[in-house]
Amino acid sequence: MSDLDNIAVRGARVNNLKNVSFTIPVNSLTVVTGVSGSGKSSLAFDTVYAEGQRRYVESLSAYARQFLERMDKPDVDEVIGICPAIAINQKNSTRNPRSTVATQTEIYDYLRLLYARVGVTICRRCGSTVKRDTPESIADALLARPDSSAGLPEGTRFYVLFPASAGAVVGENGDPVKAVNSTGSGSDRVKKTRAKKSSAGSINVKAHLMSLMGRGFTRLYLAAKDEILELQTPDSYEGKDFENIYVLVDRLTARADSPQPSGRFARNLFPRKPRAIRNSNHRR
């Protein structure tokens, strides 16, 4: 067995250990047993762990070592094949029932980072690889190959929509909840209330339509009627809620020979600036 396959300790004389020599195989679970006072903790903590931690600290720079506690070399003749070690106290210092060896030693945080950066996430529903998308990649996936099954057919006319209720905060009395300034006091401080599922917790339709028009969205798509409604004023929409109602952002046509629809589509997915309010008489 080579030196890389085990940890060899020669002449350990820490506490109750009387010139003990032993080897511990790596990549395996080793249990140290014995009667009380036989030197189990001296062997595991005061010898193996102490030497591994000491060598790790010595491998750091002088600047980093000044912030760490200085560790003395254990009373042992030789330790071969040791690597940086982690020791967990026998007493559980936390009362969290979800605490594990990984969370106590903070290995869990590094494992999460490792899997997030190196690992490949597979969707459990469709089995495809989960990757980071941008507005451009989404537009290319839908429009770059209109002649294939993955994209839209050539000449397909489609709408860029989002739910009209998106961004509307429901208040207890039906009014949108306003943001609260933490420095306010008295009447300036407005407490947020939870939305109720009753009729009293409905969305303030007119106020939300004014907010949409102020951001340049002046057209609604009525899915039930397959119609487009031009918003000249908030009173143009007579509905009491936004069920099956969508805001029309743009109307495009899929063409393989023109990059313009893809670029417009990508810009409309996540617009960086508010769109200017269009003249209600202007139609495309």
Side-chain angles (χ1 to χ4, degrees):
M1 184 177 294
S2 63
D3 294 340
L4 299 178
D5 296 332
N6 59 82
I7 300 173
V9 179
R10 302 287 183 264
R13 295 176 295 274
V14 178
N15 298 333
N16 295 338
L17 300 179
K18 306 301 181 181
N19 200 23
V20 176
S21 299
F22 56 91
T23 58
I24 302 176
V26 298
N27 297 326
S28 62
L29 179 63
T30 301
V31 180
V32 181
T33 62
V35 298
S36 177
S38 61
K40 301 183 298 296
S41 299
S42 299
L43 186 149
F45 291 102
D46 299 333
T47 304
V48 178
Y49 165 71
E51 180 63 14
Q53 190 71 0
R54 186 187 67 84
R55 293 188 183 183
Y56 169 69
V57 172
E58 287 186 351
S59 66
L60 301 176
S61 63
Y63 176 78
R65 288 200 302 268
Q66 67 179 340
F67 299 102
L68 301 175
E69 181 181 359
R70 182 177 178 180
M71 304 186 67
D72 297 330
K73 187 179 185 309
D75 188 6
V76 60
D77 293 338
E78 184 182 34
V79 178
I80 303 174
I82 192 69
C83 58
I86 296 176
I88 302 176
N89 197 345
Q90 296 175 357
K91 295 182 180 179
N92 190 3
S93 59
T94 178
R95 297 181 180 179
N96 189 349
R98 293 183 295 272
S99 178
T100 62
V101 174
T103 56
Q104 284 193 357
T105 57
E106 299 182 358
I107 295 178
Y108 181 70
D109 299 330
Y110 296 101
L111 285 176
R112 291 180 58 187
L113 180 61
L114 177 64
Y115 281 106
R117 296 296 182 183
V118 182
V120 178
T121 304
I122 305 298
C123 179
R124 61 182 179 88
R125 292 186 177 181
C126 63
S128 59
T129 303
V130 179
K131 61 181 181 178
R132 180 180 179 182
D133 282 311
T134 62
E136 290 76 14
S137 65
I138 297 174
D140 291 340
L142 293 175
L143 306 177
R145 296 178 294 172
D147 56 340
S148 64
S149 59
L152 297 176
E154 175 74 18
T156 300
R157 302 180 64 182
F158 63 95
Y159 296 147
V160 181
L161 309 168
F162 66 86
S165 59
V169 183
V170 183
E172 186 173 299
N173 298 324
D175 297 329
V177 178
K178 298 181 180 180
V180 180
N181 186 1
S182 60
T183 59
S185 59
S187 60
D188 295 336
R189 184 181 297 274
V190 181
K191 295 183 178 180
K192 292 186 177 181
T193 57
R194 293 185 177 180
K196 294 185 177 180
K197 295 184 179 180
S198 61
S199 58
S202 59
I203 297 175
N204 191 325
V205 175
K206 304 302 179 184
H208 187 56
L209 289 177
M210 291 181 61
S211 175
L212 291 174
M213 295 178 65
R215 287 176 285 168
F217 302 110
T218 59
R219 291 175 294 184
L220 296 179
Y221 175 70
L222 312 181
K225 301 179 180 180
D226 193 18
E227 296 178 355
I228 296 177
L229 174 65
E230 294 282 348
L231 293 176
Q232 299 182 9
T233 64
D235 295 330
S236 300
Y237 176 69
E238 299 178 354
K240 297 182 180 180
D241 53 35
F242 291 119
E243 185 177 1
N244 293 329
I245 306 299
Y246 300 87
V247 177
L248 177 59
V249 180
D250 207 346
R251 292 177 285 189
L252 300 173
T253 302
R255 295 177 181 174
D257 56 347
S258 176
Q260 182 180 1
S262 177
R264 287 176 56 183
F265 187 29
R267 290 192 299 269
N268 289 326
L269 286 176
F270 300 97
R272 293 183 175 85
K273 297 181 180 179
R275 295 163 55 89
I277 300 179
R278 298 180 181 273
N279 189 346
S280 58
N281 297 325
H282 176 70
R283 296 179 181 271
R284 291 183 293 169

